[in-house]
């Protein structure tokens, strides 16, 4: 795939972030999500690629925009799979909390796991612990491994976990081991990524969350030369059958990085909507000037770009005062 695609993807996440940020703190998560998806679709149409959504907002009859199987791009250029979360953190934006982002992962056709919308157990680490983790290890053993790999004392190790009742025992065990716990609310893509960036101080991500977000996270972690493992957690026979229909003969098999993202020819892009550990949020600077903060990465070259951009939004179809009431 052409390296120029990376910067084209940033234009998509930037547009979605600016549109959805206008709903920040207004208590309307559906409107924020709709604004992001509309902006993404419009920008995708200008990109030279033959894209197919493999992870989106559901099937055609469930989501009118960016649904699984939808074609994106102008049809010219590389054939790619697209995993997209137009707004990771709809509740975050509605409530004005931190760590909402717009995210995209793109890889050559057939490279991304076609993960159904269900629970997935996940673990992610940075490059120093790459190849050393196993999702089936007790959390205590994993903490020992990651602490040694990152040259840290256990009491200085930070594990990031989603604050959910299902994780209460896990959190208790991490604390009993002596490691530090950083809790987060919604949106676990960013939580996976920060394990691969030393300046964040986060060493390990563990927990159970959404499978689509797991594949998107894997693309980002692969670009950062980190490591990730996962396992789907189907809740009933219907979900088991759905896994099999999507090509997984063993729905509960251990999924390595190469199962989640089968090629080095992969990209990840994200733009912050609200403030977070990874990215700053959209800032409305007065008049028609808006500032965005984005990251874009390529697995093949391990290139990581942080992009801060100013946008002039006059004469563009952003929200009107009527829509905001």
């Amino acid at each position: 795939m052409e390296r120029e695609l990376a910067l084209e993807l940033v234009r998509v996440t930037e547009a979605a972030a600016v549109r959805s940020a206008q709903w920040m703190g207004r208590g309307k998560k559906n409107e924020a999500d709709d604004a992001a998806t509309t902006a993404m679709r419009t920008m995708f149409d200008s990109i030279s690629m033959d894209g197919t959504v493999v992870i989106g907002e559901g099937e055609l009859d469930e989501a009118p925009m960016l649904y699984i199987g939808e074609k994106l791009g102008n049809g010219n250029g590389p054939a790619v799979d697209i995993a997209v979360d137009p707004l990771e953190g709809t509740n975050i934006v509605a409530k004005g909390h931190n760590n909402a982002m717009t995210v995209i992962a793109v890889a050559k056709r057939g490279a991304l796991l076609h993960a159904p919308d269900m629970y997935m157990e996940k673990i992610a680490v940075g490059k120093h612990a790459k190849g050393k983790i196993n999702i089936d290890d007790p959390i205590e053993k994993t903490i020992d491994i990651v602490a040694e790999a990152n040259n840290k004392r256990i009491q200085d190790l930070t594990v990031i976990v989603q604050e959910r009742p299902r994780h209460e025992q896990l959190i208790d065990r991490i604390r009993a081991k002596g490691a530090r716990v950083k809790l987060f609310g919604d949106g676990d893509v960013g939580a996976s990524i920060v394990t691969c960036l030393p300046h964040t101080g986060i060493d390990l991500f563990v927990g159970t969350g959404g499978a689509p977000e797991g594949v998107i996270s894997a693309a980002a972690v692969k670009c950062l030369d980190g490591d990730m493992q996962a396992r789907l957690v189907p809740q009933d026979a219907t979900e088991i059958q759905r896994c099999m229909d999507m090509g997984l003969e063993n729905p509960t098999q251990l999924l390595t990085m190469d199962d989640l993202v089968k090629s080095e020819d992969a990209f990840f892009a994200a733009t912050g909507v609200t403030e977070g550990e990874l990215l700053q949020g959209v800032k409305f600077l007065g008049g028609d000037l808006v500032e965005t903060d984005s990251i874009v990465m390529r697995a093949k070259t391990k290139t990581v770009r942080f992009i801060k951009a100013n946008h002039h939004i006059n004469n563009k179809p952003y929200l009107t005062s009527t829509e905001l009431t």
Side-chain angles (χ1 to χ4, degrees):
M1 292 190 291
E2 298 295 332
R3 69 185 66 184
E4 290 79 7
L5 182 58
L7 297 181
E8 293 292 337
L9 295 177
V10 171
R11 293 175 57 233
V12 176
T13 58
E14 286 174 342
V18 172
R19 285 292 297 270
S20 59
Q22 295 183 66
W23 291 100
M24 194 276 290
R26 300 182 187 279
K28 297 183 177 181
K29 67 176 185 177
N30 292 333
E31 286 82 354
D33 190 41
D34 180 67
T37 54
T38 300
M40 275 199 172
R41 168 178 268 175
T42 300
M43 293 302 296
F44 265 125
D45 287 343
S46 68
I47 298 178
S48 294
M49 67 178 187
D50 175 15
T52 301
V53 177
V54 298
I55 291 177
E57 299 206 301
E59 305 292 345
L60 175 59
D61 59 347
E62 299 170 357
M65 290 179 289
L66 299 177
Y67 57 86
I68 296 171
E70 182 173 0
K71 297 292 185 179
L72 295 175
N74 62 16
N76 301 317
V80 298
D81 284 348
I82 300 170
V84 59
D85 192 344
L87 180 57
E88 196 206 19
T90 54
N91 283 317
I92 293 173
V93 173
K95 296 177 181 179
H97 291 171
N98 290 348
N99 290 311
M101 301 188 301
T102 58
V103 298
I104 298 171
V106 172
K108 74 176 185 178
R109 185 66 48 82
L112 296 179
L113 178 74
H114 292 201
D117 189 5
M118 64 177 61
Y119 278 123
M120 174 184 274
E121 185 183 0
K122 316 169 203 177
I123 180 171
V125 292
K127 65 179 182 179
H128 296 302
K130 181 179 179 179
K132 300 177 182 179
I133 57 169
N134 188 311
I135 199 170
D136 292 326
D137 284 341
I139 187 60
E140 294 83 359
K141 179 178 178 180
T142 299
I143 288 172
D144 283 334
I145 290 170
V146 176
E148 181 178 0
N150 288 358
N151 193 29
K152 288 188 176 183
R153 300 177 299 176
I154 288 176
Q155 60 263 40
D156 297 329
L157 192 85
T158 302
V159 185
I160 190 165
V161 185
Q162 191 170 27
E163 189 174 14
R164 294 290 187 269
R166 62 179 177 269
H167 292 146
E168 287 178 357
Q169 291 186 4
L170 174 64
I171 292 167
D172 288 343
R173 290 172 63 185
I174 294 169
R175 288 171 172 164
K177 178 67 176 175
R180 306 189 305 165
V181 175
K182 182 175 180 62
L183 299 176
F184 69 97
D186 296 326
D188 63 14
V189 173
S192 301
I193 296 171
V194 294
T195 64
C196 301
L197 299 171
H199 72 271
T200 66
I202 308 297
D203 303 283
L204 171 63
F205 165 79
V206 289
T208 300
E213 292 85 354
V215 177
I216 296 173
S217 299
V221 172
K222 189 160 195 165
C223 290
L224 290 165
D225 204 25
D227 199 6
M228 185 169 176
Q229 292 185 357
R231 176 177 283 112
L232 290 169
V233 187
Q235 302 295 297
D236 52 38
T238 300
E239 290 194 349
I240 290 174
Q241 185 60 51
R242 182 165 170 76
C243 292
M244 298 177 72
D245 291 342
M246 298 183 80
L248 289 172
E249 294 183 5
N250 178 6
T252 59
Q253 72 184 69
L254 186 153
L255 300 168
T256 67
M257 178 63 81
D258 289 335
D259 295 316
L260 297 164
V261 184
K262 301 178 180 68
S263 171
E264 291 290 327
D265 210 355
F267 296 85
F268 173 87
T271 299
V273 180
T274 61
E275 297 296 303
E277 284 86 5
L278 179 64
L279 297 167
Q280 296 180 22
V282 173
K283 293 181 174 62
F284 295 90
L285 302 178
D288 65 357
L289 191 62
V290 179
E291 182 180 274
T292 58
D293 188 31
S294 305
I295 186 172
V296 60
M297 304 178 279
R298 190 183 189 196
K300 180 180 288 187
T301 60
K302 301 297 185 287
T303 302
V304 179
R305 290 183 173 91
F306 286 92
I307 300 173
K308 192 174 293 291
N310 288 340
H311 311 266
H312 292 272
I313 62 174
N314 61 320
N315 299 320
K316 293 184 179 180
Y318 291 97
L319 297 179
T320 66
S321 58
T322 302
E323 291 175 302
L324 288 170
T325 58

